[in-house]
Amino acid sequence: MEENMKLATVEDTVEYRLFLISDELRDPEKHREILQNYIEKIMTQFAPMLVPYIWQNQPFNLKYKPGKGGVPAHMFGMTKFGDNIEDEWFIVYIVKQITKEFPELVARIEDNDGEFLLIEAADFLPKWLDPDNSANRVFFHHGELCIIPAPKHPGEISWLPTAPPTMLQALNIISTHPEKILASESIRAAVNKRIKGYPEKIKASLHQAHCFLPAGIVAVLKQRPRLVAAGVQAFYLRDPIDLRACRIFKTFLPETRVMTSVTFTKCLYAQLVQQRFVPDRRSGYKLPPPSHPQYRAHELGMKLAHGFEILCSKCSPHFSDSKKSLVTTSPLWAGFLESLKKNDYFKGLIEGSAQYQERLEMAKNYFQLSINQPESSLAVSPGEEILTLLHTVSYDMEELKKEAANLPPEDDDQWLDLSPDQLDQLLQEAAGKKEPEPVSKGREENYDLTQVSESMKAFISKVSSHKGAELPREPSEAPITFDADLFLNYFDKILGSKPHESDSDDPDEEDSECLDSDDDLEIETQEPGEEASVKGTLDDLKSYMAQMDQELAHTSIGKSFTTQKQMEPLSRTTSNNSDEEDSGAGGSVMTPVDVDLNLVSNILESYSSQAGLAGPASNLLQSMGVQLPDNADHRPTSKPTKD
């Protein structure tokens, strides 16, 4: 039964749409022709970046999409980026650059989470903007992020709709008022920071590693370097049924293995390295001892060979040859190839040479996946593509062995073994925060834990609503104002704990500003006949609370809290001790709970139980700007029990 269970994965996808702003596109057929020409121009102009890029699952692609339901005809693309989030942000960079190179185009992009660009800039968004009203507001235009604003009052600005705009309304606003919809500098900076470094960043995301691979895979990867992603994914997502095909290898025999250099993305390399796997003894793939200097190359090659064997086992070796000629028979191919030549894609290579043919094959593959978009029933699977290459590409074992003797050095993979400090630093940089100052040993000894309780009080005092609380992001923010006397006066007025007194010295305007609750206003404006009813309700509430206190007094729940009386012997001050002890001598008097001490001790206990990992205590404290030192005391976190 377990062999029939397939590993379920949720593949993250990003969708992007490019609209042409023009009043002349009344004829649908003419509109289609113009958009098809734009697709060819875009894919050709950005081919030098897109052709050699190794995608996790699917490449960047564009196709014509007719108008439907108030959305005009446009260029549409969708990419499954899976575990490699960098693919998504590379697409953001490409879309941004497209609108910069073609100012007449407007782009919209979103993923499974919706408006992920707004999520990235969440700390800088205006208060009015939330998921409920963000539809059709976020676009790229002229290479800049734009957000269509909402009017504060209905009809305040004639060209702004009161409700979220339709797509046609949004495109009209962008074309007529482009200078008034530019996102704030802080929002644009947050998004630009995420895509900073492209296209140079593409090279930094790659990892060169030596692999001991069957010669057939070496030949395939020379022609289709991107197929390494399909091989890694097949191994990474394998199931017991897939491994049946790897008990005895039929396509990639282990005795044909040679050493070669393979280009991975860092995500693919990490997926391959981090999985522990022991091959079936019948497969013929044996590994040297871990102490062997080339153990890692043998292990990587073994895993990748399993992935390629799985891919080939899922298709028949006699699949239809009609799928192989889809590229050259497409009416778009001739124009696309001519555009590549004009843009110097072949770098002056002689037509027919080995390097020219290699780049031509990459261009065909790129065209098939990104532009031609064949029907799913005719799409070539990675396994079929591999088998086709094995039948059409010839290779010389002796030549491959000579190349193995002169391989370029591997890239250092120390980035896989980050220390906790380095990981914290990366997380801080990703969150847009400055690197935290290291806590010295002396500072650890003198660490003031009152900062924890003070930060928590500041957090409680912050304004919140049904949508959540606002965390104080940095300690350097403006101090939080809280009028304790005014708050207590309102509280006393509700509970009736004191005789009726004047509200406070503050003016009425300040009172209404500090307390916006309708209930409080109703209490202040009670008619004399209603005051008795309200007082009776409050008396009932106080009686219920007193009854609850009596019931809890007979339980052990109070022992779980640290009280002020218990802490007195620990303090070295003796002043006023006798008075406090006398007040607590009677068993009927409940000793006040030390709220601050209980708060700090419970948070520290939660923080210690995280064992250095992320958790609620560290996340909450770091959100409030509190950095706790490392826990050097490894005592158990549970409280001792009495015999």
Side-chain angles (χ1 to χ4, degrees), residues 76 92 114 116 146 166 238 262 294 299 315 355 376 390 419 425 463 524 546 550:
F76 172 79
V92 173
F116 69 98
C146 299
T166 64
R238 67 194 181 279
V262 178
Q294 293 182 323
E299 184 187 36
C315 61
Q355 291 181 326
S376 58
L390 288 176
S419 66
Q425 181 178 350
V463 177
E524 291 181 355
Q550 291 177 1

Side-chain angles (χ1 to χ4, degrees), residues 538-579:
L538 295 178
D539 289 341
D540 290 341
L541 177 61
K542 288 192 291 183
S543 66
Y544 286 139
M545 295 176 65
Q547 186 177 353
M548 290 172 59
D549 289 342
Q550 291 177 1
E551 291 180 2
L552 292 175
H554 294 87
T555 67
S556 59
I557 190 171
K559 297 178 181 179
S560 63
F561 297 97
T562 303
T563 62
Q564 295 177 0
K565 179 181 177 182
Q566 293 171 348
M567 293 304 300
E568 282 171 6
L570 299 179
S571 64
R572 298 184 179 276
T573 59
T574 57
S575 59
N576 298 329
N577 278 2
S578 57
D579 295 338

Side-chain angles (χ1 to χ4, degrees), residues 209-319:
H210 291 173
C211 296
F212 197 46
L213 284 171
I217 299 179
V218 176
V220 167
L221 290 180
K222 280 189 174 184
Q223 294 293 319
R224 299 281 195 276
R226 67 163 186 86
L227 284 175
V228 68
V232 172
Q233 291 296 297
F235 173 78
Y236 186 71
L237 301 176
R238 67 194 181 279
D239 62 11
I241 297 178
D242 293 334
L243 292 179
R244 287 180 183 176
C246 300
R247 291 174 182 172
I248 300 176
F249 275 64
K250 298 178 181 179
T251 307
F252 302 106
L253 304 180
E255 55 266 24
T256 64
R257 287 179 292 176
V258 293
M259 194 67 69
T260 188
S261 180
V262 178
T263 301
F264 301 89
T265 63
K266 288 184 176 179
C267 180
L268 292 171
Y269 180 76
Q271 287 182 325
L272 205 61
V273 167
Q274 297 294 347
Q275 285 216 350
R276 295 182 179 180
F277 179 73
V278 178
D280 193 297
R281 287 179 294 180
R282 293 168 288 183
S283 68
Y285 280 85
K286 296 181 180 179
L287 296 178
S291 58
H292 193 279
Q294 293 182 323
Y295 174 79
R296 176 59 63 85
H298 281 255
E299 184 187 36
L300 289 174
M302 177 270 296
K303 293 178 180 178
L304 197 55
H306 276 71
F308 272 76
E309 188 74 18
I310 290 170
L311 290 174
C312 293
S313 69
K314 293 184 176 182
C315 61
S316 169
H318 307 292
F319 61 91

Side-chain angles (χ1 to χ4, degrees), residues 33 41 46 61 84 232 354 451 543 574 576 580 605:
E33 181 182 348
K41 290 179 183 178
F46 290 90
N61 58 86
N84 192 2
V232 172
Q451 185 184 4
S543 66
T574 57
N576 298 329
E580 294 180 5
E605 185 175 347

